[in-house]
Amino acid sequence: MRGVVFDGEQVRVVDDLAVREPGPGEVLVAVAAAGLCHSDLSVVDGTIPFPVPVVLGHEGAGVVEAVGPGVTHVAPGDHVALSTLANCGTCAECDRGRPTMCRQAIGRPGRPFTRSAGPVYQFAANSAFAERTVVKAVQAIPIPADVPLPSAALIGCGVLTGVGAVLNRARVDRGDSVVVIGTGGIGLNVIQGARIAGALRIVAVDANPAKAEAARQFGATDFLTSADGVQDVLPTGADHVFECVGRIELIRQAIDLLDRHGQAVLLGVPPAGAEASFLVSSLFLDKSVLGCRYGSSRPQRDIPLYAELYRQGRLLLDELVTAVYPVEDFEKARADAESGRVARAVLTF
C-alpha cells in the first residue's frame, strides 16, 4: 500500500508499505483524507525529534475496515476521525478527564508498519499518511457519515488543538478580548474557537496581509500585520493572547500584550531546546503563561461536539480545506504548506 515515509534524510511516497492486522483493543482504518500539519514538517526539519523510518501524518479521517477483539464502539463501515491520543483510559490522569497528560500517550512510538527493509515507526500513534493505519480503539472516534471526510480529517489535530485551547485551556468567556498571533491552520481554529466562546474582540496578527480575509471569515474582528498595533485596538491589553507560530520573540510579545489577569497560551512549536525570556515583574498582576498540549482535549467528547457544531453551521471545516492533493503530489502539498500559500493542505488516497 501507499504511504509517506521519512527515512531521516528524505521524504518519499512509497507503495510497498504494509500494516499489521488490529490486535485486541485496536482498529484498522482505511484512511480517506489527512491534513498536512506543520508538526509533520517539524519531524522532517528536526524541530520535533522522532525515530526513523517513520510514516508521517496525524490528522486524518476514514472508514473502519476491521476491529480487534474487545472493540464494540465502532464496526467495519463506520466513519471515524482519528485522534493522536493513545491514552490508557485507566490511569489517574485519564480518570480526571485529562487524557493529554496520560503517560501512555506521550513518547511511546510503536512500529505497526513494515517495508522490505524492516519495521517502520508510527508518528503520533496515528500515521494518517498511509492508505491504512492501525490505532488504539480510543483513537477512532465515530462521526456522522454526512460530514465530508476531507473536512472531518482536520478535526483530529487543528480543530482539537485550536478550538480546544480556547474552550478547554484558556476557558475564554463571553465579552473577553483575544489576540491570535499567527493565522495558519491552528490560528484560524483559535479564532473560531474564540468566536464560539463569545469573545467580544478577536484581533488576528499575521505578517501576511493576504490572510486577512480568512481571519475575518473565521471570526476575527480586527486584522493587523504587526503586534505593534495591538495597543491601538486594545489600549489596556488583552485577556488572552495565543501564540501560534512557535518563535521565541513572539512568545515574549504575547506576554507583553496581556492585560491584568491575562493569559498567554503557547501553541506554536519552537525547536526542542528553545528558551524564551520575559520580565518577571510583568506577571505580578495575576498574569499567566500557559502551555497547552493538543488543546487540553478529551477527543471522545470533543470530536463529536465539533462535528455537531459543523453540522449546525457554527464551526467552519470546509473553509479550512484550502487545497486537496492526491498523495502522489505530497511534495507540492508540502511546498504550498511551507510557503503559506494554503492554510491546510489535505492529502487523499
Side-chain angles (χ1 to χ4, degrees):
M1 69 177 184
R2 294 169 296 168
V4 180
V5 175
F6 175 54
D7 63 9
E9 296 183 359
Q10 62 178 337
V11 183
R12 291 189 297 161
V13 179
V14 304
D15 60 7
D16 62 345
L17 196 64
V19 66
R20 63 171 173 77
E21 291 298 312
E26 294 181 333
V27 178
L28 179 68
V29 177
V31 179
L36 176 55
C37 176
H38 279 280
S39 293
D40 300 305
L41 302 178
S42 293
V43 173
V44 177
D45 67 22
T47 301
I48 297 178
F50 206 87
V52 293
V54 56
V55 179
L56 297 175
H58 63 286
E59 186 181 66
V63 179
V64 174
E65 195 163 279
V67 300
V71 177
T72 59
H73 76 294
V74 292
D78 287 350
H79 287 207
V80 293
L82 298 178
S83 157
T84 68
L85 288 183
N87 59 296
C88 70
T90 59
C91 70
E93 297 295 351
C94 288
D95 188 55
R96 292 188 183 103
R98 298 193 298 224
T100 57
M101 295 296 103
C102 174
R103 283 168 171 78
Q104 296 294 323
I106 300 175
R108 293 175 180 266
R111 293 193 288 183
F113 300 99
T114 55
R115 296 184 67 202
S116 57
V120 181
Y121 284 100
Q122 184 174 41
F123 178 54
N126 189 309
S127 288
F129 292 169
E131 287 187 83
R132 292 173 183 81
T133 190
V134 62
V135 297
K136 289 184 66 173
V138 72
Q139 297 176 255
I141 294 94
I143 56 173
D146 59 359
V147 179
L149 290 172
S151 299
L154 304 186
I155 299 177
C157 178
V159 176
L160 279 179
T161 300
V163 178
V166 173
L167 302 183
N168 302 328
R169 185 66 169 129
R171 299 186 182 274
V172 173
D173 201 358
R174 292 166 295 177
D176 284 356
S177 58
V178 172
V179 174
V180 182
I181 301 176
T183 59
I186 298 299
L188 289 176
N189 278 299
V190 172
I191 290 170
Q192 70 170 334
R195 169 178 52 79
I196 291 168
L200 186 63
R201 206 74 183 258
I202 306 171
V203 183
V205 180
D206 198 294
N208 184 356
K211 294 186 176 182
E213 182 179 354
R216 292 186 182 278
Q217 179 184 25
F218 277 75
T221 58
D222 304 86
F223 183 89
L224 303 171
T225 55
S226 169
D228 295 337
V230 171
Q231 190 172 9
D232 296 330
V233 179
L234 300 171
T236 63
D239 296 312
H240 312 273
V241 181
F242 296 83
E243 200 283 330
C244 305
V245 181
R247 287 168 46 188
I248 57 174
E249 66 272 21
L250 297 180
I251 292 173
R252 169 62 183 266
Q253 274 193 322
I255 296 170
D256 290 344
L257 291 173
L258 294 174
D259 195 356
R260 298 182 178 193
H261 207 272
Q263 301 179 132
V265 184
L266 310 185
L267 296 176
V269 182
E275 297 183 0
S277 63
F278 57 88
L279 293 175
V280 175
S281 60
S282 69
L283 299 185
F284 289 161
L285 292 173
D286 285 358
K287 300 179 184 181
S288 305
V289 181
L290 304 180
C292 183
R293 180 172 190 249
Y294 204 43
S296 301
S297 60
R298 295 163 63 184
Q300 296 288 338
R301 176 200 64 175
D302 292 347
I303 287 178
L305 168 64
Y306 298 154
E308 186 57 35
L309 287 173
Y310 164 79
R311 297 173 82 197
Q312 294 179 11
R314 297 165 63 189
L315 181 85
L316 305 182
L317 290 179
D318 302 338
E319 295 80 359
L320 284 169
V321 185
T322 47
V324 178
Y325 308 78
V327 68
E328 290 80 8
D329 289 344
F330 173 80
E331 283 302 327
K332 183 177 185 335
R334 175 185 174 183
D336 288 348
E338 289 181 325
S339 68
R341 286 192 291 270
V342 297
R344 212 48 150 206
V346 174
L347 301 178
T348 58
F349 291 92

